[in-house]
Amino acid sequence: MRIDKHPILKFHRGREIEFELDGRGLTGYEGETIAAAIHAAGVRTLRTSIRLGRPRGFFCAIGRCSSCLMTVNGIPNVMTCITPLERGMKIETQTDKGHIAETGSSPRKGPSALAAQRPRGGRRGTADAEEPSRAEEPRARDLGHTPLAVVGGGPAGLSAAIAAGRLGVESVIIDENEAPGGQLIKQTHMFFGSKEHYAKVRGVDIGGRLTSELSELPARLLNNTTVLGLYPDRALSLLRDGRHHRLSADAVVLATGASENMLAFPGCDLPGVYGAGAVQTLMNVDGVVPGARVLMVGAGNIGLIVAYQLLQAGVEVAAVIEGLPTIGGYHVHGAKIRRAGVPIMTAHTILEAEGRGRVEKALVARVDADWRTVPGSETEFDVDTVCLAVGLSPNCELALMGGCEETYVAELGGRVAVHGSDLETSMPGVFIAGDASGIEEASTAMLEGRLAGLAAAERVGEPLDETLLESMRDEAADGLAALRSGPFGDRPRTGKEKMYDLARKLRQRGERREERSVDVQK
Amino acid sequence: MTYRSDGVLNRNDLDRLFPSEERMKRGPVVVVECVENIPCNPCAAACPRGAIRIEGDINETPSVDFEACNGCGLCVSACPGLAIFVVDASGKGDTATVMLPYEYAPLPEVGEEVTTLDRSGGKVGRARVTRVLNTEAMDRTPVVSLEVPRDQVMDVRHFARRSRRP
Ligand SMILES: Cc1cc2nc3c(=O)[nH]c(=O)nc-3n(C[C@H](O)[C@H](O)[C@H](O)COP(=O)(O)OP(=O)(O)OC[C@H]3O[C@@H](n4cnc5c(N)ncnc54)[C@H](O)[C@@H]3O)c2cc1C
Ligand code: SF4
Ligand code: SF4
Ligand code: FES
């Protein structure tokens, strides 16, 4: 079902186009993703699991989990949640690992021939007409060198490029999506914080403001491009239009955001069990409702906010359940959905999702202080969607691949690359900011991004306006301290303190080692 | 139960937030239902009369000067928490007005009868819509005024259109 009237958003849909799903003719809109078009047509199963043949729908909707792989125009394993729909596409539910030979490409042409046929990832992609033919150019294209490379165009990445740009340092921002903004593009609610942090502005509009600020600075955005690798000499390998590119930089800021956590329970793989970010994307970017009646799992800010957004899209929310005895998110977010009649059931967990081929019911029970279910407290909800808002984990793969030291800090959401208060990792010249450096929120992501951008600009080694640098740094650091100073900032603050401590120790150890090796040389 | 476990402010929480009966009799006045230390301050920035203040730390809860407030309602659509209301119980009759933020579509029409809801979504009664404000400056957080029985003015915080769900 598509959303027609929305209190906040207007959906600018492309032309109506026809496509085929398992031989059946359907229509969708140009520019939307394949998964959204299929969901809007009422189909939830996109593939079946390889060994047990269980039906699978999408889960993350941002190209992270591989739950949405389908065969498109004969090419298997296409990530349909980020691949734009095109006229006449022949889409098939995939039931196995897929057969590359069936694509008809001769094996001798190798992977580049396959890449040429492969529908491109990235939302609302447009073809790049000037690209030379791939057969002529089998190796990676060299994009040369940039002073600063920023991976990720969310609030953290854009802010990093803006900060560096204000100091006159050039940057390239690489993002796998068509439009920059990261998570902001789906956030219809007004932000908290203060005026300097875009408080009261809706998330969807903040991305636009950041990009317009950027347009006046020496920064270039490379959209529809995925960074596949980071190498020790700050070389990046990029995938753009199915082809490899190489880019090197004096400094790199990793602002790759986070991935949603899954929760394991019987039936958790049924189509209709979706991540909260996925529900937001479907609803607020594609204008498609995830279902008719939803059970929200998790009463942190994300769970509460997405529940409210579901109501705004005209979807019924049966309840928000939360395993802890208290609501994790802000009271004001909870109050919005409570007065609209949505119960928030603290100390409750989901036992099971049931249904034939899709979610039809969810079983919920009370838990005691030790997370044991209380017998006899089970409640059954007739819902067609279970939305999981059970936390995020930092995307730090690139940092780890590059060889950055990592550690586990529960308060920051799990595994993170070790970084100091200047956001520099153990790899000189590689910085990390935003959700990728520890789960917080967009306001802190912007300030952290700024700090990382400033520190990275210093690394580039060009002469800088020191006064401007210091004043920008003080302003961002003060803002960050203020945002983290309240009770809701306790967790990230503790996490960051642990992290900075560890980074300090590592750096000292490194320095000692260097001294020793100097001694030995003497 | 506290709002931390069920999401609804109880009498104790509310008593501290409400203006005095005497102040309410004198004219429209703001009610700011924001009790937690969260990093937020657009309410203070929005009030042209300095009636809402976040003192010092941005995490402080808003403190309200009911004498300085004239009930203009500018702060209602500025609050990202949708936690600000304006009540007017100064009339002679037995009705009063509640101004509340309403971010749903379609908007109700002036004169329409709606079902009023309290902080937990429970039905309070019925009310007539007396005004719908939706200017560009309000940036898609319209403010709806409802005429309610006077004794319900501190309970009604939302409404459902009778033909649809809330
Ligand atoms: C439902 C919800 C509600 C929220 N509400 C609020 C709120 O009210 N207030 C608030 O302050 N915050 C809020 N947040 C949090 C906020 O959105 C995030 O903390 C913020 O977006 C993090 O910014 P970021 O730049 O670190 O990452 P992101 O916004 O996630 O951006 C990362 C970007 O990097 C791209 N990327 C990742 N890896 C690669 C790669 N290898 N190659 C190329 N590109 C890559 C991603 O596609 C993405 O575009 C909310 C989040 C959610 C999910
Ligand atoms: S109603 Fe008007 S005067 Fe009163 S606090 Fe709000 S903005 Fe200020
Ligand atoms: S703007 Fe609203 S949520 Fe923010 S501090 Fe003021 S009253 Fe509270
Ligand atoms: S990768 Fe498509 S749903 Fe997760």
Side-chain angles (χ1 to χ4, degrees), chain A residues 72-83:
Chain A
V72 178
N73 294 343
I75 299 164
N77 303 325
V78 174
M79 252 184 203
T80 55
C81 73
I82 54 167
T83 306

Side-chain angles (χ1 to χ4, degrees), chain A residues 5-9 188-195 197 199-202 204-205 308 311-312 314-317 325-342 344-346 441 481-488, chain B residues 1-9 33-42 45-46 57-59 76-83 85 101-107 117-122 137-141 157-159 164-166:
Chain A
K5 242 187 132 24
H6 194 280
I8 312 295
L9 300 167
T188 49
H189 58 284
M190 292 185 270
F191 271 51
F192 289 72
S194 72
K195 209 155 155 199
H197 314 136
K200 167 179 172 258
V201 181
R202 297 181 189 278
V204 278
D205 301 330
Y308 178 59
L311 297 177
Q312 289 181 300
V315 179
E316 204 179 323
V317 180
T326 54
I327 296 170
Y330 297 169
H331 164 253
V332 289
H333 282 313
K336 290 181 209 175
I337 59 167
R338 283 308 320 262
R339 59 182 183 252
V342 178
I344 302 178
M345 301 163 70
T346 46
E441 44 170 38
L483 288 179
R484 286 182 183 147
S485 69
F488 285 91
Chain B
M1 279 287 194
T2 75
Y3 69 85
R4 299 281 297 139
S5 58
D6 69 353
V8 180
L9 297 175
E33 303 193 357
C34 175
V35 295
E36 278 175 338
N37 298 101
I38 55 177
C40 183
N41 69 11
D57 188 338
I58 188 171
N59 288 284
V76 177
S77 60
C79 166
L82 305 192
F85 307 86
Y102 186 78
E103 290 182 330
Y104 295 90
L107 286 172
L117 303 172
D118 64 16
R119 293 178 185 82
S120 58
M138 294 163 83
D139 190 24
R140 292 159 286 173
T141 305
R157 287 298 175 262
H158 197 51
F159 64 89
R164 337 168 56 239
R165 301 184 336 93

Side-chain angles (χ1 to χ4, degrees), chain A residues 19 32 35 40 96 165 183 187 245 259 273 296 394 402 404 442 446 496:
Chain A
F19 67 98
E32 70 183 349
D96 51 21
Q183 300 307 309
Q187 294 173 10
H245 293 69
S259 299
V273 177
M296 177 66 69
C404 300
M446 284 187 263
K496 285 287 176 181

Side-chain angles (χ1 to χ4, degrees), chain A residues 100-156:
Chain A
I100 289 174
E102 281 171 23
T103 62
S105 68
S106 101
R108 234 177 324 129
K109 279 188 196 153
S112 57
L114 184 65
Q117 290 185 25
R118 191 182 189 113
R120 272 166 294 114
R123 272 176 181 272
R124 287 162 184 71
T126 46
D128 196 340
E130 291 148 299
E131 295 282 311
S133 105
R134 283 166 181 106
E136 292 163 20
E137 209 183 344
R139 285 184 307 130
R141 286 175 90 197
D142 201 349
L143 294 178
H145 185 84
T146 176
L148 172 61
V150 177
V151 187

Side-chain angles (χ1 to χ4, degrees), chain A residues 191-196 199-200, chain B residues 30 32 34 38-65 68 72-81 83-84:
Chain A
F191 271 51
F192 289 72
S194 72
K195 209 155 155 199
E196 304 84 68
K200 167 179 172 258
Chain B
V30 76
V32 182
C34 175
I38 55 177
C40 183
N41 69 11
C43 50
C47 179
R49 305 172 68 88
I52 307 185
R53 278 219 281 267
I54 305 271
E55 254 129 26
D57 188 338
I58 188 171
N59 288 284
E60 275 307 314
T61 53
S63 56
V64 185
D65 179 350
C72 71
L74 274 177
C75 52
V76 177
S77 60
C79 166
I84 306 186

